[in-house]
Every structure is written in C-alpha cells, then in structure tokens.
Amino acid sequence: LELLDQTCLALGVRYLDELGLRIQDVDELRALRHLEGLVELQISAFVESRFVATLFDLEAELVSVHGLRESFDELRLGPLLQQPLVGSKFLPDPALRTIPQLSLGDVLKGLHRYRTETKNFKNVELVAFLNWLAAKRGASSPRSLCVAVNKYAIG
C-alpha cells in the first residue's frame, strides 16, 4: 500500500511492525487492503474473461461496480495506470499519464476497417493490426492503446 509506505517514511520507520502495529490492527488499513485485493481480483477476472479488453472499458466497469461517480481515482488506491496488475495485463507505455479512450467497440470497428483497407478477410496478424490501429489513433505505439488480447483469441 502506497499510503502505508508514505506513513512509515514520515514516521522514520521501514515497516509498521516497528511501531508495534500490524495492518490487521488498524481498521482503515485492513479495509484498504481488502479493497485492494478485491480490485485486483476484478482486474484479473475482467481481462481473463474477455478475448479483447481495453483499459478504458476496465475503468468503466470498476466505476460501475464500486458505485463511483467518475473515475477509479475515487477509490484512493492510486492511479489505475499504476496498478501492478494493470502493468502486467495491459503493458501500458510508461509515458502514459491518462487512460486512452479506446473501447472494445472502437477496436472492433478498427478491425473491420483494417480488414477492408488491407483486403485481408482471413488471418489478421495481431501485431500488424495493433500497429495500424495505433497509427490511426495517433498513438506512439500499440502499448499506448492499453489493449489486452487473450492468448486464446489469437489462434
């Protein structure tokens, strides 16, 4: 927990137990740890249950599930782009500061357009398509799109 690390740093200790405390002893920290674990499960389930997932759609799902008004930031767990599981599932470009507004619908429309432009209606090479989509959207690279493709969808 980033908040815990900052608190320990401010108090001049490395770990909470140096103060004679455990996370389980502090109600707010215990609740925050529980929420963090729940969000990690939701991120994993979201990505693993779809052939194609976008970070934009994931944030919308998390906002809806947690009854938030606008964004993931309201959970106070830090930016969604900085969540470790987001890093491993979406491999976002480290230079990104905001979540790209790219939905699954946008990806599918792009795929249709790509197939039409390239006249390739059989096997689409994933890397070529993502490079094309990034270029069309003005992104610096496919990693800037924050699209996760399930390995079983590639076949």
Side-chain angles (χ1 to χ4, degrees):
L1 293 171
E2 188 175 324
L3 175 64
L4 182 57
D5 292 340
Q6 291 173 358
T7 302
C8 287
L9 182 63
L11 295 172
V13 296
R14 262 184 97 151
Y15 304 104
L16 195 60
D17 62 357
E18 292 177 32
L19 299 172
L21 296 171
R22 298 176 309 156
I23 288 178
Q24 298 85 344
D25 298 334
V26 181
D27 291 340
E28 291 81 11
L29 290 177
R30 186 174 55 243
L32 196 55
R33 175 62 57 96
H34 176 75
L35 178 60
E36 187 177 58
L38 180 62
V39 167
E40 285 179 357
L41 284 172
Q42 291 166 328
I43 291 171
S44 186
F46 184 88
V47 174
E48 298 302 322
S49 66
R50 288 161 173 76
F51 289 124
V52 177
T54 70
L55 190 55
F56 180 75
D57 289 340
L58 171 62
E59 181 175 38
E61 178 74 11
L62 291 171
V63 165
S64 173
V65 166
H66 290 278
L68 306 173
R69 281 181 264 138
E70 292 182 26
S71 75
F72 178 83
D73 293 340
E74 294 171 53
L75 288 178
R76 303 181 80 191
L77 294 175
L80 186 55
L81 274 167
Q82 300 302 316
Q83 298 300 311
L85 212 46
V86 166
S88 65
K89 299 287 185 186
F90 290 93
L91 304 170
D93 186 324
L96 280 178
R97 296 293 169 249
T98 59
I99 294 172
Q101 293 191 357
L102 178 70
S103 69
L104 175 60
D106 297 327
V107 173
L108 294 177
K109 287 176 191 172
L111 179 59
H112 176 73
R113 193 167 155 209
Y114 175 78
R115 293 177 115 182
T116 302
E117 284 183 18
T118 62
K119 299 187 182 353
N120 180 355
F121 297 101
K122 292 190 178 187
N123 296 321
V124 172
E125 184 185 326
L126 180 62
V127 173
F129 166 65
L130 290 176
N131 282 325
W132 177 89
L133 186 60
K136 290 292 184 187
R137 296 197 53 97
S140 60
S141 73
R143 290 181 65 182
S144 296
L145 299 173
C146 294
V147 174
V149 179
N150 188 320
K151 64 181 177 185
Y152 301 112
I154 296 171

